[in-house]
Amino acid sequence: MKGEKTEVEDVAEKEDTCDEVVVKFNSCTMQAYEDYKAANEAGEDGRPDWLARKSCNYMTAAVEDCGNKLIGVCNTEDEVTKLKDKQLKGILAQLSSSIAEWDSEKCPAVKSHVDRMKAEQTEAEDDACVEIHNKYETCTSQAYEDYKAANEAGEDGRPDWLARKSCNYMTAAVEDCGNMLIQGDPE
C-alpha cells in the first residue's frame, strides 16, 4: 500500500534517528568539555570549593544533561540512567581521591547517583533478609515435622526418650535455625 512504511523502512528510519541522537549526544559532551576547559582557563572565582564546583558542573552537563538527550526512540529512561550510573561510578572514584574539597552531597547529579546506589543496595539487602527469613521458617517447620515423626514412631527403649526428643527439637528449632537469623544463610 502506498504511504505505509515497511518494517525494513521503519528499522532504517530508527537507525538514522538513533545515529542522529548519538551525534547530538557526542556534540553535547564535547561542548560540556569545552565549557569545563574554559572555566579552568578562566581560573578561580574567589568562591569556596572552586574545583569541586566546576567538576560538578561538568559532570552535570556531560553525564546528566547530555545523557538525557539519549532518552526516546533509541533508549529508555531506565537504560540511560544505568549508563549514567556506570559513568558516574568511575568518575566519582577519581573525584573523591583527587579533589580534597569534593562532597558528593553538594553535587545534585552525583547525589542522585549515590542515592540510587544506596536504594539498590537496600533493596538487595531486603531481598536477602526475606530469603533468610523464608529459610528460617522452612528450617523450624522441618524441625517440628521431625519432632512429630519421632513422637509418632514412639519410644526407642532408651531412658529419657521424651526429654531427648524435646531437646533435639528445641536444639534444631532454636539453636540451628536461629543461627540463620544471626549469621545469615549458613549454606
Side-chain angles (χ1 to χ4, degrees):
M1 294 187 175
K2 279 192 168 183
E4 290 187 31
K5 294 180 190 174
T6 67
E7 189 175 325
V8 172
E9 289 172 324
D10 281 343
V11 169
E13 187 175 306
K14 182 179 178 186
E15 285 176 4
D16 289 344
T17 302
C18 292
D19 288 344
E20 291 170 18
V21 167
V22 170
V23 167
K24 287 179 183 176
F25 169 76
N26 288 337
S27 175
C28 181
T29 58
M30 291 301 290
Q31 184 60 53
Y33 181 67
E34 291 302 320
D35 293 347
Y36 176 70
K37 278 186 1 183
N40 273 323
E41 289 169 5
E44 292 202 29
D45 58 9
R47 294 171 42 212
D49 304 329
W50 177 80
L51 185 56
R53 285 187 292 107
K54 297 306 162 193
S55 297
C56 175
N57 292 346
Y58 174 50
M59 281 195 319
T60 300
V63 177
E64 195 66 29
D65 299 341
C66 296
N68 287 341
K69 294 184 181 303
L70 296 171
I71 299 171
V73 174
C74 307
N75 302 285
T76 66
E77 184 175 349
D78 212 34
E79 290 168 333
V80 172
T81 298
K82 287 178 183 173
L83 176 64
K84 290 178 193 179
D85 285 341
K86 184 177 179 181
Q87 289 176 308
L88 287 171
K89 183 178 180 182
I91 294 168
L92 185 56
Q94 290 176 317
L95 289 172
S96 297
S97 65
S98 63
I99 300 176
E101 64 272 9
W102 181 258
D103 181 354
S104 295
E105 292 291 314
K106 292 181 179 179
C107 184
V110 174
K111 184 177 181 330
S112 294
H113 162 72
V114 170
D115 290 347
R116 278 191 301 275
M117 296 301 101
K118 285 180 182 175
E120 285 180 18
Q121 181 179 359
T122 299
E123 194 173 292
E125 289 170 355
D126 288 348
D127 290 347
C129 286
V130 167
E131 185 179 338
I132 288 169
H133 180 72
N134 289 341
K135 287 183 177 184
Y136 166 78
E137 290 293 327
T138 300
C139 182
T140 56
S141 293
Q142 184 61 52
Y144 182 67
E145 290 302 316
D146 292 348
Y147 176 69
K148 283 190 342 185
N151 275 330
E152 288 170 7
E155 291 194 31
D156 59 8
R158 294 172 31 211
D160 304 318
W161 175 83
L162 183 57
R164 283 187 294 105
K165 296 305 167 189
S166 296
C167 182
N168 290 347
Y169 166 62
M170 295 303 289
T171 299
V174 175
E175 185 78 16
D176 299 341
C177 299
N179 282 340
M180 287 181 170
L181 298 175
I182 297 168
Q183 301 165 352
D185 187 8
E187 297 178 292

